Amino acid sequence: RGAATASGERGAATASGEQAIAMASGPNGKARGADGCDLVLREFDDSGKVIARWIGTVGMDGIKPDTWYRLKGGKPVEVE
């Protein structure tokens, strides 16, 4: 039931425990988690303004466990 947050430019957060949350709140941030964990992603424009937010659960709606995601066009996309 832990939480991980990445708030800096290109930060990365991983949630690996049961019912954990990983949040990528900085520009170009990414997050991943184990099955059942929640991910919170934000997308920014070139000026640094937040233009989209998303929260989802790993294992639902096509979100894969232990896979990095970033928000693009308001939707989570896989990244390395």
Side-chain angles (χ1 to χ4, degrees):
R1 294 190 175 129
T5 303
S7 58
E9 174 79 23
R10 300 189 187 279
T14 299
S16 58
E18 285 187 38
Q19 300 175 359
I21 295 174
M23 180 171 75
S25 63
N28 298 306
K30 60 185 179 179
R32 68 179 177 183
D35 196 41
C37 292
D38 289 331
L39 304 181
V40 180
L41 305 171
R42 298 193 322 167
E43 182 178 4
F44 296 79
D45 66 13
D46 292 336
S47 71
K49 179 182 174 186
V50 175
I51 57 172
R53 294 166 185 84
W54 176 87
I55 184 168
T57 303
V58 177
M60 297 178 70
D61 301 318
I63 302 299
K64 302 175 192 173
D66 302 314
T67 301
W68 290 110
Y69 287 92
R70 177 174 291 142
L71 204 58
K72 290 193 177 189
K75 298 183 188 277
V77 296
E78 292 182 35
V79 295
E80 290 190 24

Short mmCIF file of all heavy atoms in Angstrom, two decimals:
data_model
loop_
_atom_site.label_atom_id
_atom_site.label_comp_id
_atom_site.label_asym_id
_atom_site.label_seq_id
_atom_site.Cartn_x
_atom_site.Cartn_y
_atom_site.Cartn_z
N ARG A 1 0.82 -1.20 0.00
CA ARG A 1 0.00 0.00 0.00
C ARG A 1 0.86 1.25 0.00
O ARG A 1 0.58 2.21 0.68
CB ARG A 1 -0.93 -0.01 1.20
CG ARG A 1 -1.94 -1.12 1.12
CD ARG A 1 -3.01 -1.00 2.16
NE ARG A 1 -4.00 -2.03 1.93
CZ ARG A 1 -4.44 -2.86 2.84
NH1 ARG A 1 -4.02 -2.78 4.06
NH2 ARG A 1 -5.32 -3.76 2.52
N GLY A 2 1.92 1.22 -0.74
CA GLY A 2 2.82 2.36 -0.82
C GLY A 2 2.46 3.29 -1.95
O GLY A 2 1.55 3.05 -2.73
N ALA A 3 3.22 4.37 -2.01
CA ALA A 3 3.03 5.36 -3.07
C ALA A 3 4.39 5.82 -3.55
O ALA A 3 5.31 5.99 -2.76
CB ALA A 3 2.22 6.55 -2.56
N ALA A 4 4.52 6.03 -4.86
CA ALA A 4 5.75 6.55 -5.44
C ALA A 4 5.39 7.71 -6.34
O ALA A 4 4.43 7.64 -7.11
CB ALA A 4 6.45 5.46 -6.26
N THR A 5 6.14 8.80 -6.22
CA THR A 5 5.87 10.00 -7.03
C THR A 5 7.15 10.45 -7.71
O THR A 5 8.20 10.51 -7.08
CB THR A 5 5.36 11.15 -6.15
OG1 THR A 5 4.19 10.73 -5.47
CG2 THR A 5 5.04 12.37 -6.98
N ALA A 6 7.04 10.79 -8.98
CA ALA A 6 8.14 11.40 -9.73
C ALA A 6 7.65 12.76 -10.20
O ALA A 6 6.72 12.85 -10.99
CB ALA A 6 8.52 10.53 -10.92
N SER A 7 8.27 13.82 -9.68
CA SER A 7 7.75 15.16 -10.00
C SER A 7 8.69 15.98 -10.87
O SER A 7 8.31 17.02 -11.36
CB SER A 7 7.46 15.93 -8.70
OG SER A 7 8.63 16.01 -7.93
N GLY A 8 9.91 15.53 -11.08
CA GLY A 8 10.86 16.30 -11.88
C GLY A 8 10.78 15.97 -13.36
O GLY A 8 10.08 15.06 -13.78
N GLU A 9 11.51 16.73 -14.15
CA GLU A 9 11.60 16.49 -15.59
C GLU A 9 12.12 15.08 -15.83
O GLU A 9 13.16 14.69 -15.31
CB GLU A 9 12.55 17.51 -16.22
CG GLU A 9 12.85 17.31 -17.68
CD GLU A 9 11.75 17.79 -18.61
OE1 GLU A 9 10.97 18.65 -18.21
OE2 GLU A 9 11.69 17.28 -19.73
N ARG A 10 11.37 14.29 -16.57
CA ARG A 10 11.71 12.91 -16.94
C ARG A 10 11.83 11.97 -15.73
O ARG A 10 12.56 10.98 -15.77
CB ARG A 10 13.00 12.86 -17.76
CG ARG A 10 12.89 13.63 -19.06
CD ARG A 10 14.09 13.39 -19.96
NE ARG A 10 14.04 14.24 -21.11
CZ ARG A 10 13.34 14.01 -22.20
NH1 ARG A 10 12.60 12.95 -22.29
NH2 ARG A 10 13.35 14.85 -23.22
N GLY A 11 11.13 12.25 -14.67
CA GLY A 11 11.12 11.38 -13.50
C GLY A 11 10.39 10.08 -13.78
O GLY A 11 9.58 9.99 -14.70
N ALA A 12 10.67 9.06 -12.97
CA ALA A 12 10.03 7.76 -13.13
C ALA A 12 9.61 7.22 -11.77
O ALA A 12 10.35 7.33 -10.81
CB ALA A 12 10.98 6.78 -13.81
N ALA A 13 8.41 6.64 -11.70
CA ALA A 13 7.89 6.09 -10.46
C ALA A 13 7.37 4.68 -10.71
O ALA A 13 6.73 4.42 -11.73
CB ALA A 13 6.76 6.96 -9.92
N THR A 14 7.64 3.78 -9.76
CA THR A 14 7.18 2.39 -9.85
C THR A 14 6.41 2.02 -8.60
O THR A 14 6.85 2.30 -7.49
CB THR A 14 8.38 1.42 -9.99
OG1 THR A 14 9.10 1.73 -11.17
CG2 THR A 14 7.92 -0.02 -10.05
N ALA A 15 5.25 1.40 -8.78
CA ALA A 15 4.46 0.87 -7.67
C ALA A 15 4.53 -0.65 -7.76
O ALA A 15 4.12 -1.22 -8.77
CB ALA A 15 3.02 1.34 -7.76
N SER A 16 5.06 -1.31 -6.72
CA SER A 16 5.24 -2.75 -6.80
C SER A 16 4.48 -3.53 -5.73
O SER A 16 4.36 -4.74 -5.82
CB SER A 16 6.73 -3.10 -6.72
OG SER A 16 7.28 -2.61 -5.52
N GLY A 17 3.95 -2.87 -4.73
CA GLY A 17 3.21 -3.56 -3.67
C GLY A 17 1.72 -3.61 -3.96
O GLY A 17 1.23 -2.96 -4.88
N GLU A 18 1.00 -4.39 -3.18
CA GLU A 18 -0.44 -4.47 -3.35
C GLU A 18 -1.08 -3.12 -3.09
O GLU A 18 -0.72 -2.43 -2.14
CB GLU A 18 -1.03 -5.50 -2.38
CG GLU A 18 -0.78 -6.93 -2.78
CD GLU A 18 -1.52 -7.89 -1.89
OE1 GLU A 18 -2.66 -7.60 -1.50
OE2 GLU A 18 -0.92 -8.93 -1.56
N GLN A 19 -2.02 -2.74 -3.93
CA GLN A 19 -2.80 -1.52 -3.79
C GLN A 19 -1.92 -0.27 -3.72
O GLN A 19 -2.28 0.72 -3.08
CB GLN A 19 -3.71 -1.60 -2.56
CG GLN A 19 -4.68 -2.75 -2.63
CD GLN A 19 -5.50 -2.90 -1.38
OE1 GLN A 19 -5.36 -2.17 -0.42
NE2 GLN A 19 -6.37 -3.89 -1.39
N ALA A 20 -0.79 -0.28 -4.39
CA ALA A 20 0.11 0.86 -4.40
C ALA A 20 -0.26 1.80 -5.55
O ALA A 20 -1.00 1.44 -6.46
CB ALA A 20 1.56 0.39 -4.56
N ILE A 21 0.28 3.02 -5.50
CA ILE A 21 0.03 4.03 -6.53
C ILE A 21 1.36 4.61 -6.99
O ILE A 21 2.22 4.94 -6.16
CB ILE A 21 -0.84 5.18 -5.99
CG1 ILE A 21 -2.23 4.66 -5.62
CG2 ILE A 21 -0.96 6.30 -7.01
CD1 ILE A 21 -3.10 5.69 -4.94
N ALA A 22 1.53 4.76 -8.30
CA ALA A 22 2.70 5.43 -8.87
C ALA A 22 2.19 6.64 -9.65
O ALA A 22 1.26 6.52 -10.45
CB ALA A 22 3.48 4.50 -9.80
N MET A 23 2.81 7.80 -9.41
CA MET A 23 2.37 9.02 -10.08
C MET A 23 3.55 9.70 -10.75
O MET A 23 4.58 9.93 -10.13
CB MET A 23 1.76 10.00 -9.08
CG MET A 23 1.29 11.28 -9.73
SD MET A 23 0.32 12.35 -8.65
CE MET A 23 1.59 13.02 -7.60
N ALA A 24 3.37 10.01 -12.04
CA ALA A 24 4.35 10.79 -12.79
C ALA A 24 3.74 12.16 -12.99
O ALA A 24 2.86 12.35 -13.83
CB ALA A 24 4.67 10.13 -14.12
N SER A 25 4.18 13.14 -12.20
CA SER A 25 3.53 14.45 -12.23
C SER A 25 4.38 15.53 -12.88
O SER A 25 3.97 16.67 -12.95
CB SER A 25 3.16 14.88 -10.81
OG SER A 25 4.33 15.03 -10.02
N GLY A 26 5.57 15.19 -13.37
CA GLY A 26 6.43 16.17 -14.02
C GLY A 26 6.44 15.97 -15.53
O GLY A 26 6.04 14.92 -16.04
N PRO A 27 6.91 16.97 -16.26
CA PRO A 27 6.99 16.87 -17.72
C PRO A 27 7.81 15.65 -18.16
O PRO A 27 8.87 15.39 -17.60
CB PRO A 27 7.67 18.17 -18.14
CG PRO A 27 7.42 19.11 -17.02
CD PRO A 27 7.39 18.27 -15.78
N ASN A 28 7.30 14.91 -19.12
CA ASN A 28 7.96 13.72 -19.66
C ASN A 28 8.18 12.62 -18.62
O ASN A 28 9.04 11.76 -18.80
CB ASN A 28 9.28 14.09 -20.34
CG ASN A 28 9.07 15.01 -21.50
OD1 ASN A 28 8.29 14.71 -22.40
ND2 ASN A 28 9.74 16.14 -21.50
N GLY A 29 7.42 12.66 -17.54
CA GLY A 29 7.52 11.61 -16.53
C GLY A 29 6.88 10.33 -17.01
O GLY A 29 6.12 10.31 -17.98
N LYS A 30 7.19 9.24 -16.32
CA LYS A 30 6.60 7.95 -16.66
C LYS A 30 6.37 7.16 -15.38
O LYS A 30 7.02 7.41 -14.36
CB LYS A 30 7.49 7.17 -17.63
CG LYS A 30 8.88 6.86 -17.12
CD LYS A 30 9.71 6.21 -18.20
CE LYS A 30 11.12 5.91 -17.69
NZ LYS A 30 11.93 5.26 -18.73
N ALA A 31 5.42 6.22 -15.45
CA ALA A 31 5.08 5.41 -14.29
C ALA A 31 4.76 3.99 -14.74
O ALA A 31 4.34 3.76 -15.86
CB ALA A 31 3.88 6.01 -13.55
N ARG A 32 4.97 3.06 -13.81
CA ARG A 32 4.62 1.66 -14.06
C ARG A 32 4.22 1.04 -12.73
O ARG A 32 4.52 1.57 -11.65
CB ARG A 32 5.76 0.88 -14.69
CG ARG A 32 6.94 0.66 -13.77
CD ARG A 32 8.02 -0.13 -14.45
NE ARG A 32 9.18 -0.25 -13.56
CZ ARG A 32 10.29 -0.84 -13.88
NH1 ARG A 32 10.43 -1.37 -15.09
NH2 ARG A 32 11.28 -0.92 -13.02
N GLY A 33 3.55 -0.10 -12.81
CA GLY A 33 3.13 -0.75 -11.58
C GLY A 33 2.84 -2.22 -11.78
O GLY A 33 2.70 -2.70 -12.91
N ALA A 34 2.72 -2.91 -10.65
CA ALA A 34 2.33 -4.31 -10.65
C ALA A 34 0.82 -4.40 -10.89
O ALA A 34 0.10 -3.41 -10.77
CB ALA A 34 2.70 -4.95 -9.32
N ASP A 35 0.35 -5.59 -11.23
CA ASP A 35 -1.06 -5.81 -11.46
C ASP A 35 -1.88 -5.34 -10.26
O ASP A 35 -1.55 -5.65 -9.12
CB ASP A 35 -1.31 -7.30 -11.72
CG ASP A 35 -2.64 -7.58 -12.34
OD1 ASP A 35 -3.06 -6.82 -13.24
OD2 ASP A 35 -3.29 -8.55 -11.93
N GLY A 36 -2.92 -4.55 -10.53
CA GLY A 36 -3.79 -4.06 -9.48
C GLY A 36 -3.39 -2.71 -8.90
O GLY A 36 -4.16 -2.10 -8.17
N CYS A 37 -2.21 -2.23 -9.23
CA CYS A 37 -1.77 -0.91 -8.75
C CYS A 37 -2.36 0.19 -9.62
O CYS A 37 -2.70 -0.04 -10.78
CB CYS A 37 -0.23 -0.81 -8.80
SG CYS A 37 0.59 -1.89 -7.62
N ASP A 38 -2.48 1.38 -9.07
CA ASP A 38 -2.98 2.52 -9.83
C ASP A 38 -1.83 3.35 -10.37
O ASP A 38 -0.78 3.48 -9.72
CB ASP A 38 -3.87 3.42 -8.96
CG ASP A 38 -5.19 2.78 -8.63
OD1 ASP A 38 -5.69 1.97 -9.43
OD2 ASP A 38 -5.75 3.09 -7.57
N LEU A 39 -2.05 3.94 -11.54
CA LEU A 39 -1.10 4.87 -12.15
C LEU A 39 -1.78 6.22 -12.32
O LEU A 39 -2.95 6.27 -12.70
CB LEU A 39 -0.63 4.37 -13.52
CG LEU A 39 0.00 2.98 -13.59
CD1 LEU A 39 0.42 2.68 -15.03
CD2 LEU A 39 1.18 2.87 -12.64
N VAL A 40 -1.06 7.29 -12.04
CA VAL A 40 -1.55 8.65 -12.24
C VAL A 40 -0.54 9.35 -13.15
O VAL A 40 0.65 9.40 -12.85
CB VAL A 40 -1.67 9.41 -10.90
CG1 VAL A 40 -2.19 10.82 -11.15
CG2 VAL A 40 -2.56 8.67 -9.93
N LEU A 41 -1.02 9.87 -14.27
CA LEU A 41 -0.15 10.52 -15.26
C LEU A 41 -0.68 11.91 -15.59
O LEU A 41 -1.89 12.13 -15.59
CB LEU A 41 -0.10 9.69 -16.54
CG LEU A 41 0.31 8.22 -16.41
CD1 LEU A 41 0.08 7.49 -17.72
CD2 LEU A 41 1.74 8.10 -15.95
N ARG A 42 0.26 12.83 -15.86
CA ARG A 42 -0.11 14.18 -16.31
C ARG A 42 0.66 14.49 -17.59
O ARG A 42 1.79 14.06 -17.76
CB ARG A 42 0.21 15.23 -15.26
CG ARG A 42 -0.56 15.01 -13.99
CD ARG A 42 -0.56 16.14 -13.01
NE ARG A 42 0.68 16.87 -12.89
CZ ARG A 42 0.78 18.04 -12.26
NH1 ARG A 42 -0.28 18.60 -11.71
NH2 ARG A 42 1.93 18.65 -12.18
N GLU A 43 0.02 15.26 -18.47
CA GLU A 43 0.64 15.66 -19.73
C GLU A 43 0.77 17.19 -19.73
O GLU A 43 -0.11 17.90 -19.25
CB GLU A 43 -0.23 15.21 -20.89
CG GLU A 43 0.34 15.54 -22.25
CD GLU A 43 -0.54 15.02 -23.38
OE1 GLU A 43 -1.64 14.47 -23.13
OE2 GLU A 43 -0.12 15.16 -24.54
N PHE A 44 1.88 17.67 -20.29
CA PHE A 44 2.19 19.10 -20.29
C PHE A 44 2.38 19.60 -21.72
O PHE A 44 2.84 18.86 -22.58
CB PHE A 44 3.49 19.35 -19.53
CG PHE A 44 3.42 19.00 -18.07
CD1 PHE A 44 3.51 17.69 -17.64
CD2 PHE A 44 3.24 20.00 -17.12
CE1 PHE A 44 3.44 17.37 -16.30
CE2 PHE A 44 3.18 19.69 -15.77
CZ PHE A 44 3.26 18.37 -15.35
N ASP A 45 2.07 20.89 -21.93
CA ASP A 45 2.39 21.50 -23.22
C ASP A 45 3.82 22.04 -23.16
O ASP A 45 4.51 21.89 -22.14
CB ASP A 45 1.38 22.58 -23.62
CG ASP A 45 1.37 23.80 -22.72
OD1 ASP A 45 2.31 23.98 -21.90
OD2 ASP A 45 0.43 24.60 -22.83
N ASP A 46 4.29 22.65 -24.23
CA ASP A 46 5.66 23.13 -24.31
C ASP A 46 5.98 24.23 -23.30
O ASP A 46 7.13 24.45 -22.94
CB ASP A 46 5.99 23.63 -25.71
CG ASP A 46 6.04 22.49 -26.72
OD1 ASP A 46 6.27 21.32 -26.30
OD2 ASP A 46 5.84 22.74 -27.91
N SER A 47 4.96 24.94 -22.82
CA SER A 47 5.18 26.01 -21.84
C SER A 47 5.17 25.48 -20.40
O SER A 47 5.40 26.25 -19.47
CB SER A 47 4.12 27.11 -22.00
OG SER A 47 2.85 26.63 -21.56
N GLY A 48 4.89 24.19 -20.22
CA GLY A 48 4.88 23.60 -18.89
C GLY A 48 3.50 23.56 -18.24
O GLY A 48 3.37 23.18 -17.08
N LYS A 49 2.47 23.92 -18.98
CA LYS A 49 1.10 23.90 -18.46
C LYS A 49 0.52 22.48 -18.57
O LYS A 49 0.68 21.82 -19.60
CB LYS A 49 0.24 24.87 -19.25
CG LYS A 49 -1.20 24.91 -18.80
CD LYS A 49 -2.01 25.87 -19.66
CE LYS A 49 -3.48 25.78 -19.29
NZ LYS A 49 -4.32 26.56 -20.17
N VAL A 50 -0.17 22.04 -17.52
CA VAL A 50 -0.83 20.73 -17.55
C VAL A 50 -2.02 20.81 -18.51
O VAL A 50 -2.87 21.69 -18.40
CB VAL A 50 -1.32 20.32 -16.15
CG1 VAL A 50 -2.10 19.01 -16.22
CG2 VAL A 50 -0.15 20.19 -15.19
N ILE A 51 -2.04 19.88 -19.47
CA ILE A 51 -3.13 19.88 -20.46
C ILE A 51 -3.99 18.62 -20.37
O ILE A 51 -5.07 18.57 -20.96
CB ILE A 51 -2.59 20.05 -21.89
CG1 ILE A 51 -1.57 18.96 -22.24
CG2 ILE A 51 -2.01 21.44 -22.07
CD1 ILE A 51 -1.14 18.96 -23.70
N ALA A 52 -3.55 17.60 -19.63
CA ALA A 52 -4.35 16.38 -19.47
C ALA A 52 -3.91 15.65 -18.21
O ALA A 52 -2.75 15.73 -17.80
CB ALA A 52 -4.21 15.48 -20.68
N ARG A 53 -4.87 14.94 -17.63
CA ARG A 53 -4.62 14.09 -16.46
C ARG A 53 -5.30 12.75 -16.69
O ARG A 53 -6.35 12.70 -17.32
CB ARG A 53 -5.21 14.73 -15.20
CG ARG A 53 -4.56 16.02 -14.81
CD ARG A 53 -5.44 16.74 -13.77
NE ARG A 53 -4.90 18.05 -13.46
CZ ARG A 53 -5.12 19.15 -14.17
NH1 ARG A 53 -5.86 19.10 -15.25
NH2 ARG A 53 -4.60 20.30 -13.81
N TRP A 54 -4.72 11.68 -16.13
CA TRP A 54 -5.30 10.35 -16.30
C TRP A 54 -4.97 9.51 -15.08
O TRP A 54 -3.87 9.61 -14.51
CB TRP A 54 -4.71 9.70 -17.55
CG TRP A 54 -5.15 8.30 -17.80
CD1 TRP A 54 -6.26 7.88 -18.47
CD2 TRP A 54 -4.50 7.11 -17.36
NE1 TRP A 54 -6.34 6.52 -18.48
CE2 TRP A 54 -5.26 6.02 -17.79
CE3 TRP A 54 -3.34 6.86 -16.62
CZ2 TRP A 54 -4.91 4.70 -17.53
CZ3 TRP A 54 -2.99 5.55 -16.37
CH2 TRP A 54 -3.77 4.48 -16.83
N ILE A 55 -5.91 8.69 -14.65
CA ILE A 55 -5.67 7.70 -13.60
C ILE A 55 -6.29 6.39 -14.06
O ILE A 55 -7.38 6.38 -14.64
CB ILE A 55 -6.23 8.14 -12.23
CG1 ILE A 55 -5.87 7.11 -11.16
CG2 ILE A 55 -7.72 8.37 -12.30
CD1 ILE A 55 -6.13 7.57 -9.74
N GLY A 56 -5.55 5.31 -13.85
CA GLY A 56 -6.04 4.00 -14.25
C GLY A 56 -5.42 2.92 -13.40
O GLY A 56 -4.53 3.17 -12.59
N THR A 57 -5.89 1.71 -13.59
CA THR A 57 -5.43 0.57 -12.81
C THR A 57 -4.74 -0.43 -13.71
O THR A 57 -5.27 -0.80 -14.77
CB THR A 57 -6.63 -0.10 -12.10
OG1 THR A 57 -7.28 0.88 -11.28
CG2 THR A 57 -6.18 -1.26 -11.23
N VAL A 58 -3.55 -0.86 -13.30
CA VAL A 58 -2.80 -1.86 -14.04
C VAL A 58 -3.62 -3.16 -14.08
O VAL A 58 -4.15 -3.59 -13.06
CB VAL A 58 -1.42 -2.11 -13.40
CG1 VAL A 58 -0.66 -3.20 -14.13
CG2 VAL A 58 -0.61 -0.82 -13.35
N GLY A 59 -3.73 -3.72 -15.27
CA GLY A 59 -4.52 -4.93 -15.46
C GLY A 59 -5.92 -4.65 -15.97
O GLY A 59 -6.68 -5.57 -16.26
N MET A 60 -6.27 -3.37 -16.11
CA MET A 60 -7.58 -2.99 -16.65
C MET A 60 -7.39 -2.13 -17.89
O MET A 60 -6.40 -1.42 -18.01
CB MET A 60 -8.38 -2.21 -15.60
CG MET A 60 -8.69 -3.00 -14.34
SD MET A 60 -9.57 -2.03 -13.11
CE MET A 60 -11.15 -1.84 -13.91
N ASP A 61 -8.35 -2.19 -18.80
CA ASP A 61 -8.36 -1.34 -20.00
C ASP A 61 -7.06 -1.39 -20.79
O ASP A 61 -6.61 -0.37 -21.34
CB ASP A 61 -8.70 0.10 -19.63
CG ASP A 61 -10.06 0.22 -18.96
OD1 ASP A 61 -11.00 -0.46 -19.43
OD2 ASP A 61 -10.18 0.97 -17.98
N GLY A 62 -6.41 -2.55 -20.82
CA GLY A 62 -5.20 -2.72 -21.62
C GLY A 62 -3.91 -2.24 -20.99
O GLY A 62 -2.86 -2.29 -21.63
N ILE A 63 -3.94 -1.78 -19.74
CA ILE A 63 -2.73 -1.32 -19.06
C ILE A 63 -1.98 -2.55 -18.53
O ILE A 63 -2.52 -3.32 -17.72
CB ILE A 63 -3.05 -0.34 -17.92
CG1 ILE A 63 -3.83 0.87 -18.47
CG2 ILE A 63 -1.78 0.10 -17.20
CD1 ILE A 63 -3.07 1.67 -19.51
N LYS A 64 -0.75 -2.73 -19.00
CA LYS A 64 0.04 -3.92 -18.70
C LYS A 64 0.89 -3.75 -17.44
O LYS A 64 1.41 -2.67 -17.19
CB LYS A 64 0.97 -4.24 -19.86
CG LYS A 64 0.27 -4.46 -21.18
CD LYS A 64 1.31 -4.63 -22.27
CE LYS A 64 0.69 -4.57 -23.64
NZ LYS A 64 1.72 -4.56 -24.70
N PRO A 65 1.07 -4.83 -16.68
CA PRO A 65 1.95 -4.78 -15.51
C PRO A 65 3.40 -4.54 -15.92
O PRO A 65 3.83 -4.96 -17.00
CB PRO A 65 1.81 -6.16 -14.87
CG PRO A 65 0.67 -6.83 -15.53
CD PRO A 65 0.44 -6.14 -16.83
N ASP A 66 4.14 -3.86 -15.04
CA ASP A 66 5.58 -3.65 -15.19
C ASP A 66 5.95 -3.05 -16.55
O ASP A 66 6.99 -3.37 -17.12
CB ASP A 66 6.34 -4.95 -14.94
CG ASP A 66 6.03 -5.50 -13.56
OD1 ASP A 66 6.05 -4.72 -12.59
OD2 ASP A 66 5.76 -6.71 -13.44
N THR A 67 5.11 -2.20 -17.07
CA THR A 67 5.33 -1.52 -18.35
C THR A 67 5.28 -0.02 -18.11
O THR A 67 4.36 0.48 -17.46
CB THR A 67 4.23 -1.93 -19.36
OG1 THR A 67 4.27 -3.35 -19.52
CG2 THR A 67 4.44 -1.27 -20.71
N TRP A 68 6.26 0.71 -18.62
CA TRP A 68 6.30 2.16 -18.44
C TRP A 68 5.24 2.83 -19.31
O TRP A 68 5.08 2.47 -20.47
CB TRP A 68 7.66 2.72 -18.82
CG TRP A 68 8.75 2.37 -17.87
CD1 TRP A 68 9.80 1.52 -18.11
CD2 TRP A 68 8.94 2.84 -16.54
NE1 TRP A 68 10.61 1.45 -17.01
CE2 TRP A 68 10.10 2.25 -16.02
CE3 TRP A 68 8.22 3.73 -15.72
CZ2 TRP A 68 10.57 2.50 -14.73
CZ3 TRP A 68 8.68 3.98 -14.44
CH2 TRP A 68 9.84 3.37 -13.96
N TYR A 69 4.55 3.82 -18.73
CA TYR A 69 3.55 4.61 -19.45
C TYR A 69 3.79 6.09 -19.26
O TYR A 69 4.25 6.54 -18.20
CB TYR A 69 2.13 4.27 -18.96
CG TYR A 69 1.65 2.93 -19.42
CD1 TYR A 69 1.85 1.81 -18.63
CD2 TYR A 69 1.04 2.78 -20.65
CE1 TYR A 69 1.43 0.55 -19.07
CE2 TYR A 69 0.61 1.54 -21.09
CZ TYR A 69 0.81 0.43 -20.30
OH TYR A 69 0.40 -0.80 -20.73
N ARG A 70 3.46 6.83 -20.30
CA ARG A 70 3.50 8.29 -20.29
C ARG A 70 2.20 8.75 -20.95
O ARG A 70 1.64 8.04 -21.78
CB ARG A 70 4.71 8.79 -21.08
CG ARG A 70 4.81 10.29 -21.19
CD ARG A 70 6.11 10.71 -21.87
NE ARG A 70 7.23 10.41 -20.99
CZ ARG A 70 8.41 9.95 -21.40
NH1 ARG A 70 8.64 9.73 -22.69
NH2 ARG A 70 9.36 9.71 -20.55
N LEU A 71 1.71 9.92 -20.61
CA LEU A 71 0.48 10.43 -21.20
C LEU A 71 0.80 11.23 -22.46
O LEU A 71 1.62 12.14 -22.44
CB LEU A 71 -0.24 11.32 -20.18
CG LEU A 71 -1.74 11.48 -20.36
CD1 LEU A 71 -2.46 10.14 -20.32
CD2 LEU A 71 -2.30 12.40 -19.30
N LYS A 72 0.16 10.86 -23.57
CA LYS A 72 0.32 11.58 -24.84
C LYS A 72 -1.05 11.68 -25.50
O LYS A 72 -1.73 10.66 -25.65
CB LYS A 72 1.29 10.86 -25.78
CG LYS A 72 2.71 10.93 -25.32
CD LYS A 72 3.66 10.50 -26.40
CE LYS A 72 5.08 10.66 -25.88
NZ LYS A 72 6.07 10.47 -26.89
N GLY A 73 -1.44 12.89 -25.85
CA GLY A 73 -2.74 13.07 -26.44
C GLY A 73 -3.87 12.70 -25.49
O GLY A 73 -4.93 12.29 -25.93
N GLY A 74 -3.60 12.81 -24.18
CA GLY A 74 -4.60 12.49 -23.18
C GLY A 74 -4.78 11.02 -22.91
O GLY A 74 -5.64 10.63 -22.12
N LYS A 75 -3.95 10.17 -23.53
CA LYS A 75 -4.06 8.72 -23.36
C LYS A 75 -2.72 8.13 -22.92
O LYS A 75 -1.66 8.60 -23.35
CB LYS A 75 -4.50 8.06 -24.66
CG LYS A 75 -5.87 8.53 -25.12
CD LYS A 75 -6.28 7.79 -26.37
CE LYS A 75 -7.54 8.38 -26.94
NZ LYS A 75 -8.73 7.92 -26.36
N PRO A 76 -2.73 7.09 -22.09
CA PRO A 76 -1.48 6.45 -21.71
C PRO A 76 -0.87 5.69 -22.88
O PRO A 76 -1.59 4.97 -23.58
CB PRO A 76 -1.89 5.50 -20.57
CG PRO A 76 -3.34 5.24 -20.80
CD PRO A 76 -3.89 6.46 -21.48
N VAL A 77 0.43 5.86 -23.09
CA VAL A 77 1.14 5.14 -24.14
C VAL A 77 2.37 4.49 -23.53
O VAL A 77 2.97 5.00 -22.58
CB VAL A 77 1.55 6.06 -25.32
CG1 VAL A 77 0.34 6.62 -26.02
CG2 VAL A 77 2.45 7.18 -24.85
N GLU A 78 2.73 3.33 -24.06
CA GLU A 78 3.92 2.62 -23.59
C GLU A 78 5.17 3.36 -24.01
O GLU A 78 5.26 3.86 -25.15
CB GLU A 78 3.96 1.20 -24.15
CG GLU A 78 2.87 0.31 -23.62
CD GLU A 78 2.97 -1.11 -24.15
OE1 GLU A 78 4.11 -1.60 -24.36
OE2 GLU A 78 1.92 -1.71 -24.36
N VAL A 79 6.14 3.45 -23.11
CA VAL A 79 7.44 4.06 -23.38
C VAL A 79 8.52 3.19 -22.76
O VAL A 79 8.27 2.34 -21.94
CB VAL A 79 7.54 5.51 -22.84
CG1 VAL A 79 6.57 6.42 -23.56
CG2 VAL A 79 7.32 5.56 -21.35
N GLU A 80 9.76 3.43 -23.20
CA GLU A 80 10.89 2.69 -22.62
C GLU A 80 11.47 3.44 -21.47
O GLU A 80 11.30 4.60 -21.30
CB GLU A 80 11.94 2.45 -23.69
CG GLU A 80 11.47 1.45 -24.72
CD GLU A 80 12.57 1.02 -25.65
OE1 GLU A 80 13.75 1.10 -25.29
OE2 GLU A 80 12.25 0.62 -26.76
#
